Amino acid sequence: MHIMEGFLPLEWCLFWYMVALPVVAYGIIQIKKITDKNPELKPLLAVSGAFIFVLSSLKLPSVTGSCSHPTGTGLGAVLFGPAVTCVLGTIVLLFQSLLLAHGGITTLGANIFSMGIVGPFAAWIIYKGAAKAGVSTSIGVFLAVFIGGLLTYVVTAVQLSLAFPIPTFGESIVTFMTVFAYTQVPLAIAEGLLTVVIFDYLMKLRPDILENLKVIGLKTKAVV
């Protein structure tokens, strides 16, 4: 999924940097607030970042300068919200571009926007909506991760189609999304199930932390 180094025209590289960086800055402020208030959350924050790194490094072959892989951002989005997850995703993307040739520096802004902003924001909205609707926590987590992962790839398809509208933007986006769908749909399902298992473990191990983060409440615990 990461758009590789040098693939986007310069104007699009700059545009996505300008869109992504304010969110990254806001996320850094949020992390400082959270860790200053609750320093015991630092290990969970680190685990969420490591989860993103491991899963998003498991790339499968695709075409047209990209690949498919789980994003790993859904867990962080549910636990800490999209802004914090954006920072974790940015750190992961930077390391992957420098150490694994996965993505790139020029395309970092575009990759942050798709994997670090849109996917986590969608996952967070879906989880909060499911919780308010009284949906089981496990189902809410699965839907958040599954849909957030798919939207990441939809955004990447839009980004590539905007840069390369050949022969038209409409035809280009259909082509890119079709390419991603074959591998991303089963990957999103697998990531959703894995995240549910991890989240349920956290529920049993440290429900106090999840309550402190307002991820779960009395109503949520009752339906699990």
Side-chain angles (χ1 to χ4, degrees):
M1 177 274 298
H2 301 343
I3 303 174
M4 68 181 183
E5 177 69 23
F7 195 74
L8 291 179
L10 177 61
E11 61 269 26
W12 283 111
C13 295
L14 296 175
F15 174 79
W16 293 118
Y17 261 108
M18 288 189 292
V19 173
L21 289 182
V23 183
V24 176
Y26 177 72
I28 292 173
I29 295 172
Q30 291 301 109
I31 288 178
K32 188 175 187 310
K33 287 182 178 179
I34 291 174
T35 53
D36 285 348
K37 184 178 180 181
N38 303 290
E40 71 275 12
L41 294 177
K42 290 181 181 178
L44 184 59
L45 196 62
V47 169
S48 299
F51 188 70
I52 295 173
F53 182 82
V54 172
L55 263 68
S56 61
S57 297
L58 302 175
K59 60 182 181 180
L60 298 177
S62 184
V63 299
T64 324
S66 187
C67 63
S68 290
H69 55 76
T71 67
T73 57
L75 179 63
V78 170
L79 294 175
F80 296 103
V84 171
T85 307
C86 174
V87 177
L88 299 178
T90 299
I91 295 171
V92 168
L93 287 166
L94 182 60
F95 271 91
Q96 289 176 334
S97 63
L98 294 174
L99 302 178
L100 304 178
H102 193 182
I105 296 300
T106 62
T107 56
L108 183 61
N111 290 327
I112 291 172
F113 183 77
S114 60
M115 197 183 93
I117 297 177
V118 175
F121 186 76
W124 179 73
I125 288 291
I126 291 168
Y127 177 75
K128 293 297 183 183
K132 287 185 178 180
V135 175
S136 162
T137 301
S138 296
I139 294 176
V141 170
F142 175 81
L143 291 175
V145 174
F146 174 70
I147 297 175
L150 290 183
L151 280 180
T152 295
Y153 279 81
V154 171
V155 172
T156 300
V158 171
Q159 291 173 315
L160 292 172
S161 301
L162 286 170
F164 306 103
I166 303 171
T168 66
F169 172 79
E171 292 181 64
S172 180
I173 196 170
V174 170
T175 300
F176 280 119
M177 285 201 289
T178 301
V179 168
F180 291 144
Y182 290 112
T183 49
Q184 192 55 33
V185 170
L187 284 176
I189 293 173
E191 182 181 349
L193 294 174
L194 175 63
T195 307
V196 167
V197 172
I198 295 173
F199 191 86
D200 286 347
Y201 180 72
L202 287 173
M203 289 270 289
K204 296 174 182 175
L205 185 67
R206 293 296 303 271
D208 57 312
I209 289 181
L210 300 183
E211 288 179 359
N212 190 24
L213 288 169
K214 299 181 180 178
V215 175
I216 62 172
L218 295 177
K219 180 181 178 180
T220 306
K221 286 199 297 179
V223 298
V224 174

